[in-house]
Amino acid sequence: MTSTNIQDYKIATMGSHTALQILKGAKDEGFQTLCVVTPKTRPVYEHYGMVDEFIEIDHYKNFCEIEQQLIDKNCIAIPHGSFVSYLGHECMKNLKCMHYGTKGILEWESDRAMERKWLLKAGLKLPKIFKSPEEIDRAVIIKFHGAKGGSGYFIANNPKEFYEGLAKYGRDDDYVIQEYIVGVPMYVHYFYSPLTKELEIMSFDKRYESNADSIGRIAARDQLAADIQTSYTITGNIPLVVRESLLPMLYEMGENTVKTSQDLVGKGLFGPFCLEGIMDTNLNFYVFEISARIVAGTNPFINGSPYTALRYDEPMSTGRRMARDIKQGIESGQLDKILG
Ligand code: AMP
């Protein structure tokens, strides 16, 4: 019989991305914690003192080699962005250890065409996609597949600029030509619990991107002289509070995203997820991507956000919210509902 005592389980994750808040949150909820580290990352996780047990490996891409140990220790693994990126979607799909969240949804998230189908079905506004460079009739952003942290993206206003950009970057591999939305980037951090069947907005962030966030620090004439290629390499996250009148729209978008996912794959999307978009001057929110798991933009809120403060009388990070979901699942005998 499955134990309903949380002491019979451990919460495990990989030492990177949002591991600090995941492990702290797990400890705050009373769990034993395990962190998979490398010799290089171990000191950080030792320093903060919320890890009960370490498993050390040479490189995170070898994570699957220690999976049996996680199974033997009755660990529930919590995936995050680096976790998925190191393992790859195939390896993630084949994980046998207990895993928080729906694995099936990762396929919808990782395939651009499937992701678009999902979000359009949910009624969200998305930037237009141009099928061929000849159709470019406005500002577009060209994104190369797998471009790490948005480096190597470029902007074009017409087919000529597109081909010039392509030549400059010397690559013509897998790319997408997306309408460039003039507005402010906004990342909405949601949490959906399959136990309470409620959607929560946990927090918001904007990204601190180099060199996109630094170009404006020099005068226009110097920008032209410097001939800088804009890049969007993420270096950190900045907390954001949005205009309160936007909340109903943002709630509805999150609810539709969850509802639609339930028609697409098994238990659907649950746990933390993020709609990543640009808000234009008419307050239209154009979503350019979804992350179907915890995002690093939740890291400024380890002690909770203004939104979680309204709902909880204690600091509630997204990491802790997951641990609470797991705890409630275990104690109410519904663990199967939150494992994917
Ligand atoms: P991504 O790698 O898709 O997360 O995008 C990196 C950054 O590029 C974002 O944080 C935005 O600042 C910017 N960006 C991406 N897509 C668009 C778009 N369609 N319109 C305007 N800016 C965008």
Side-chain angles (χ1 to χ4, degrees), residues 13-26 35 45 50 78-83 189 237 272 293-302 317-320 322:
T13 197
M14 177 192 279
S16 180
H17 194 263
T18 39
L20 290 170
Q21 61 159 305
I22 290 172
L23 297 163
K24 168 84 167 81
C35 189
Y45 295 92
M50 77 292 263
I78 297 193
H80 50 56
S82 304
F83 195 110
H189 315 146
N237 303 84
R293 69 186 87 84
I294 186 168
V295 290
T298 59
N299 278 339
F301 307 106
I302 291 186
S317 68
T318 294
R320 184 171 185 181
M322 284 192 278

Side-chain angles (χ1 to χ4, degrees), residues 249-267:
M249 175 182 86
L250 296 169
Y251 260 105
E252 197 183 333
M253 290 172 63
E255 271 167 358
N256 290 342
T257 304
V258 171
K259 231 180 276 160
T260 310
S261 75
Q262 292 164 348
D263 299 333
L264 302 178
V265 49
K267 295 174 192 167

Side-chain angles (χ1 to χ4, degrees), residues 28 62 70 218 315 337:
D28 288 345
N62 302 329
L70 300 184
I218 53 175
K337 283 200 179 159

Side-chain angles (χ1 to χ4, degrees), residues 149-196:
S151 61
Y153 290 180
F154 68 93
I155 312 286
N157 291 286
N158 48 51
K160 184 169 169 282
E161 285 180 13
F162 169 83
Y163 288 113
E164 281 168 5
L166 218 56
K168 194 162 187 171
Y169 279 95
R171 50 191 291 188
D172 57 359
D173 50 333
D174 190 15
Y175 57 76
V176 65
I177 307 173
Q178 203 175 77
E179 173 185 12
Y180 186 86
I181 308 293
V182 180
V184 288
M186 198 178 272
Y187 293 71
V188 193
H189 315 146
Y190 295 97
F191 185 89
Y192 177 74
S193 165
L195 302 177
T196 63

